[in-house]
Every structure is written in C-alpha cells, then in structure tokens.
Amino acid sequence: QDDTGSREARQTLFRESYAAFLENPMTGVGAGQFKNYDPEGREQPWRESHNIVLQVAAELGVAGIGLLVFLMTRAGLAGVQTRRLLSGRSRGRRRGGSGSPGARAVVSPDETEWFQTHAAGMAAALAGWFFCALFASVAYNWTFYYLLALATAPREMLRARLSPPRASRSARVRAQELREARA
C-alpha cells in the first residue's frame, strides 16, 4: 500500500512525460524544461519525470533518445572491446596481427588482470546506474558522463599501447621520396 500517493504521482508523471514527447517528438520541450512545461490539464506541474528515458524523450525528442542510446551502447561495448583487445581477438589492430606474441608482451599479467577487472566493474556500474536512472531524473547529472569516461578510457589506453606507431605525414613523404630516388 502507498499511503503517500507517490506511486500514483509517479505514474501520472510518466504519462505526462510521454504526452510531452508525443506533442514534441522532434525537438522535445528543451533540456531541463519538463518541470517548467505546463500545458493545459497537466496534473503534476513543476515536477521532474523520474525516469531517464522519458526525461530525455520529453526534453530532447528523438535525437536525444538516439544520443542516449548511442552513449550507453558505446560505454557498454567499451568493456567488451577491452576484453577483446586483451584476448587477442582485436581483428588485426595489434602489431603483427591478431594474437601476436610481441603484442602480448606490451601488457603485463598484472595489468591484464586490472584491465579485465575494471571492464567487468564498469559494466556492472553502468547497469546499476541505468537501473537507478529508470527511477530518477538524472540525464544531465555528472555521474553518467563520469562512468562513460571510466568505461572507455582503458580501451583507448590499450589501443594506444597495442597499435603500431603511425608515421607522421612528413616521414611518409620522405620515405616516398627515398623510394622514388632509388627507383
């Protein structure tokens, strides 16, 4: 039983958020503006939507939902890609091709364990954050962006370590000139 009426108020906010999205599907009502959105007949004015998906849909429209899904997917895939880089299934991104013994030596066993543990921890943190965000208006809070950075940084660190160094444009031009001079 809900003696406070919180459940009914939340259901009303969900309906109103969805209605705001349907009225403004392309642009939404503006970032952070759902609480100020007060059309005729709104039952819970001056309240947040209390659901990240509905908040983004109502405030930013289809483009905002697309961006949220993109960022969530990229953060989720970062852990998978980190593990893939560590296991040697990176599809030729490593020096010498996939599974090269020389590339394996770039990451120590302790670092490998840290990267794997970090990737698993970030996957759990992102899942927990998203579950909690289904009951809170947190689309613009720093927590998601912090988790996004923490989830993607190890993948980028591994990519930088395991890829062969790229020659600068001037070095490539000089190498081409040397080849032409020899020919």
Side-chain angles (χ1 to χ4, degrees), residues 39-171:
E40 185 76 28
R42 182 159 178 201
E43 297 174 42
Q44 293 287 333
W46 309 292
R47 304 277 181 155
E48 298 285 348
S49 61
H50 295 291
N51 179 299
I52 190 169
V53 176
L54 290 173
Q55 178 188 7
V56 170
E59 293 180 354
L60 301 177
V62 175
I65 288 290
L67 183 61
L68 177 68
V69 168
F70 172 77
L71 291 174
M72 293 285 300
T73 302
R74 294 298 294 179
L77 287 176
V80 173
Q81 292 167 341
T82 298
R83 285 188 228 115
R84 195 174 280 160
L85 284 166
L86 289 169
S87 70
R89 293 179 288 157
S90 61
R91 296 186 184 152
R93 287 194 187 263
R94 288 186 177 184
R95 197 173 347 176
S98 182
S100 163
R104 192 69 156 136
V106 174
V107 181
S108 74
D110 287 342
E111 289 174 321
T112 299
E113 182 181 349
W114 183 88
F115 278 115
Q116 289 173 339
T117 304
H118 183 84
M122 284 296 97
L126 284 163
W129 177 87
F130 185 70
F131 181 77
C132 291
L134 291 175
F135 303 96
S137 297
V138 294
Y140 314 114
N141 291 7
W142 62 270
T143 52
F144 171 65
Y145 306 102
Y146 192 63
L147 285 175
L148 177 65
L150 285 173
T152 57
R155 177 194 65 201
E156 297 307 315
M157 291 166 52
L158 281 173
R159 283 182 177 169
R161 272 196 196 179
L162 299 176
S163 2
R166 294 183 178 187
S168 67
R169 184 180 185 289
S170 60

Side-chain angles (χ1 to χ4, degrees), residues 16-35:
E16 290 177 345
S17 297
Y18 187 64
F21 168 67
L22 292 178
E23 288 176 24
N24 305 286
M26 297 309 290
T27 61
V29 297
Q33 295 303 308
F34 178 72
K35 62 185 172 192

